[in-house]
Every structure is written in C-alpha cells, then in structure tokens.
Amino acid sequence: MEALIAVLPGDGIGPEVCTEGLRVLDAVADQYGHQFKCSEQLIGGAAIDATGNPFPADTRAACAESDAVILGAVGGPKWSDPNAPVRPEQGILALRANLEVFANIRPVKIIDALTDASPIKADRLGGVDIIVIRELTGGIYFGKKTRDENLASDLCIYERHEVERIIRVAARLAGERRGKLCSIDKANVLETSRFWRDVTVRTMEAEFPDIEIEHMLVDAAAMHLINRPATFDVMVTENMFGDILTDEASMLAGSMGMLPSASLGETRRGLYEPIHGSAPDIAGQGLANPCGMIASIAMMLRLSFGLDDESAAIEAAIDSTIEDGIRTADIAGVDHASTGTVGMTDAIIQRLH
Ligand code: IPM
Ligand code: MG
C-alpha cells in the first residue's frame, strides 16, 4: 500500500525516537512492499523557536492531508516559563483538537522479562494486560481558562455526545476482549462526573447490554491499579484522569519508555505517539528507549492502515529483543544498560520477520 504520514519530531528526545521509529517503518516497507511517504513538520518548542507558533499552519496543512500522524514529544526547560505567552504543550492540544482524535488508546501490557524493571512487586504483575481509553479533546484541558492577580480558574465541561462517543469506543473494544469495562470518574464530588456516569449507564444499557460495566472513583482506581492491576481490562475515563492514571499504569510495565499510544476520531486517520515526554535530561545522548515510539508505529499500521501482520511482526520483534536481554538505561538501570537508542532499534530490526 501507499500512505502519506506527517512526522512531527518535536523537542527533547522526540526527534531521536522518531528517527528510530521511521527506520523500523522503512524496514517493514521494504520487507512487505509498501510505500510510506513522510513529511516532517515542526511542533512544540521547535516550532515556537522557528515561527512563534507551537502548531504552525504548515504543520496543520500537512496533518490534514496525511493518512496518519506520528508525534515524538514536546516541551523542555527552554519553554517552560509559566508566564510565557505560548507553550509547546499548546501545540499538542491544538493538534489533537484539529485532528478531532477524541479517543486516546493506551495499552499497558507487561513483557514477562521486564517484571524486574517495575517498582511493583512481581507477584502483582502476572497477567497484566490493560487498555486505558482516555477522552482526549474535552474536559478541563479545553474549557475556558481565566486568570487575574488573585484568582484563576479552569472550566471542566463535557457534552453528552462527547461522553457517548468515547464510551462507544471503549465498549466496542471491551466486546473484543473480556467483555468488561471499567469507567473511572469522581462522581462523589464532580458534576461532570455524575453526568459522565449517567450518560455511561444509559449508553451501555441501550447499546451494549452484554458488556459488564463497573464504575470506579478515580482515587480508588489509582490505588487498585497498584494493588491488583491484573483485575483491570478496558478502562475508560475523562481527559485529565486518563492523563494521570496512564502515567501511573506505565510503571507496571517498568518504564514509560516502553509504552505506545494511538489517538483516533471518527476516521481512520490517527495520531500515534509514545506516552513518554521529551525527557530533556537525556536528550541528544542516544540513551532514550525507542520502544514506545516503535510500538506506536505498530499501532498505526494496524489501526490506520489495517496491516495486522506487519504490526504483529513489529510487536513480536520488540518482545524478543527484550526477552534477549537487550536493554536501554530506563529498563536496566544506567550501570546495566546494554545498548542505546540506535542499538535497541538495530536489534528490533534484526528480529523483524
Ligand atoms: C500526555 C502528556 C500531555 C497531556 C501534555 C504534554 C500536554 O502528558 O500526552 O499524556 O497532558 O495530555
Ligand atoms: Mg501525560
């Protein structure tokens, strides 16, 4: 097949992991006879430096005509003055809103050989296989913000259709898995959460009577994720709770560096990014773990292009690389790292078949 991909490397380790992800994509293209045309564009701090805008018009145009978008990471100390008029993170938020990718899919699966890399005791980790569906284009991230000398506010707002459509995505996925869905909210305090719960109950009753639905408060979910992670399957939640819980859940897998994400809307055009940030402390040193990005590319092949075999081949290559003991610093401790960003990717490409 042929596809056009917008590549937004961004800041910090973003460009390094993008380069490595694209090497894997090239290897897959060669092996399976596909043509992926990539158009590299600015986002985040790099875009602020070059144009003053974290999501410039050229980037928006390239994304609009692409079949999928790959994002590295944005942000860094250079742009983190809280009083700065523009911030790199606004670039990601504008990108998500612009692509209308309201469903952020973050799988947390544990590779057995990595249980030692997790700070959680190994006996809790057996069988952990969670997918968090995070609502990505609404809630407190996008509500009106105000600020004066003595007061600041962020409005958290959800409309019925926004809740319905994310619940549908999660319920369909639950139907393909264990038939159970856990919706996370804070309905004991927040009106938006009571609304979320109400709309969820109605949508599930009307459209997914066979899926078992459980409602859990976000504070309890944060605890249970550590205490009994293997009991979760598909979790669905609003934007900010999803942001927080997925960072927490990433620790089950040993490192944020391992985990991919996909963001989808009503079309097949998706946004694919590792869940880690720009890690300015290790940027440019060849230390970053490229697995989260490479696994995100595997998600792209499956979800945007329907290339299941190619996607599975990449995932299997990542697993066997880890099983063979090849480790970047984040999953091995600095003293034990056996390789860096490029070496890890080489090892994955070698195992692609
Ligand atoms: C994430 C990140 C972003 C978010 C930041 C960089 C805006 O933390 O993708 O989880 O909060 O959504
Ligand atoms: Mg986050």
Side-chain angles (χ1 to χ4, degrees), residues 103-150:
N104 180 222
I105 303 168
R106 296 188 168 184
V108 181
K109 202 170 174 177
I110 291 178
I111 302 177
D112 285 341
L114 270 191
T115 45
D116 282 350
S118 172
I120 309 297
K121 289 198 185 79
D123 66 336
R124 308 281 164 118
L125 295 174
V128 169
D129 180 4
I130 303 170
I131 298 190
V132 182
I133 310 283
R134 167 186 175 195
E135 199 292 325
L136 200 62
T137 53
I140 201 165
Y141 272 56
F142 289 92
K144 189 169 185 286
K145 298 176 188 306
T146 70
R147 169 91 177 258
D148 67 29
E149 208 188 328
N150 300 310

Side-chain angles (χ1 to χ4, degrees), residues 174-249:
E176 292 163 17
R177 291 166 55 97
R178 282 185 249 166
K180 85 185 219 207
L181 176 62
C182 181
S183 172
I184 315 284
D185 60 41
K186 187 70 186 170
N188 54 347
V189 176
L190 300 178
E191 205 53 55
T192 40
S193 280
R194 284 190 279 275
F195 178 73
W196 175 283
R197 195 177 280 211
D198 193 46
V199 174
T200 298
V201 168
R202 284 165 199 271
T203 308
M204 295 303 292
E205 272 173 13
E207 299 175 33
F208 303 94
D210 299 335
I211 306 287
E212 185 191 322
I213 174 90
E214 178 185 14
H215 305 274
M216 193 179 284
L217 297 173
V218 62
D219 48 350
M223 173 184 65
H224 294 313
L225 257 180
I226 299 296
N227 190 37
R228 49 174 179 84
T231 60
F232 290 98
D233 186 26
V234 181
M235 305 170 81
V236 61
T237 191
E238 63 97 63
N239 202 342
M240 188 161 74
F241 297 160
D243 178 45
I244 297 167
L245 290 177
T246 51
D247 266 29
E248 185 191 2

